[in-house]
Amino acid sequence: VQLVESGGALVQPGGSLTLSCAVSGFTFGGHWMYWLRQAPGKGLEWVARIYDGSSKPAYSDSVKGRFTISADNAKNTVYLHMNSLTSEDSALYYCATSARVGGDCSGVYCFAPRRQGTQVTVSS
């Protein structure tokens, strides 16, 4: 399984950014896809999830109303659209899945075997 995150960048407070997670080795059907993040010195924080490519999107309280998770089943890619970014959103962002297909699994989350993430830095 491969989950390749991209789209991270340095962005000013109040700005927007869209992250992508290109998935290979399985399809979304019947599985959850997640976005999580980890800021320096902090633990892994769940950010958003979506089921079966389009159902039951959910968000952490810290991003609700600002972030949107979506997926393109044809491209097997999951997105995280982020608006009104603040410095509190600065972190390394990862995507993960509930699918048990050979990834690096911890609890309900299965990451790519080589967990790389994409860095988002919000700063003026």
Side-chain angles (χ1 to χ4, degrees):
V1 59
Q2 287 197 13
L3 302 167
V4 181
E5 304 95 342
S6 63
L10 171 63
V11 61
Q12 291 189 341
S16 299
L17 205 58
T18 295
L19 306 182
S20 301
C21 174
V23 177
S24 61
F26 69 101
T27 57
F28 302 147
H31 302 295
W32 289 96
M33 294 298 300
Y34 306 96
W35 281 99
L36 301 99
R37 66 187 182 185
Q38 187 164 23
K42 295 188 177 180
L44 202 58
E45 176 191 10
W46 168 73
V47 173
R49 66 174 183 244
I50 191 166
Y51 180 73
D52 205 30
S54 61
S55 301
K56 307 176 187 177
Y59 305 91
S60 66
D61 287 343
S62 61
V63 307
K64 195 175 297 180
R66 300 187 299 120
F67 289 13
T68 303
I69 188 170
S70 67
D72 185 330
N73 286 11
K75 294 183 178 179
N76 226 26
T77 300
V78 181
Y79 302 97
L80 185 67
H81 309 278
M82 306 185 294
N83 295 317
S84 302
L85 287 162
T86 75
S87 59
E88 297 296 309
D89 297 314
S90 295
L92 191 58
Y93 283 71
Y94 300 98
C95 67
T97 179
S98 62
R100 304 281 164 160
V101 288
D104 173 22
C105 297
S106 175
V108 300
Y109 306 119
C110 290
F111 300 87
R114 293 183 182 181
R115 202 185 302 187
Q116 293 189 337
T118 187
Q119 179 67 42
V120 173
T121 302
V122 184
S123 175
S124 55

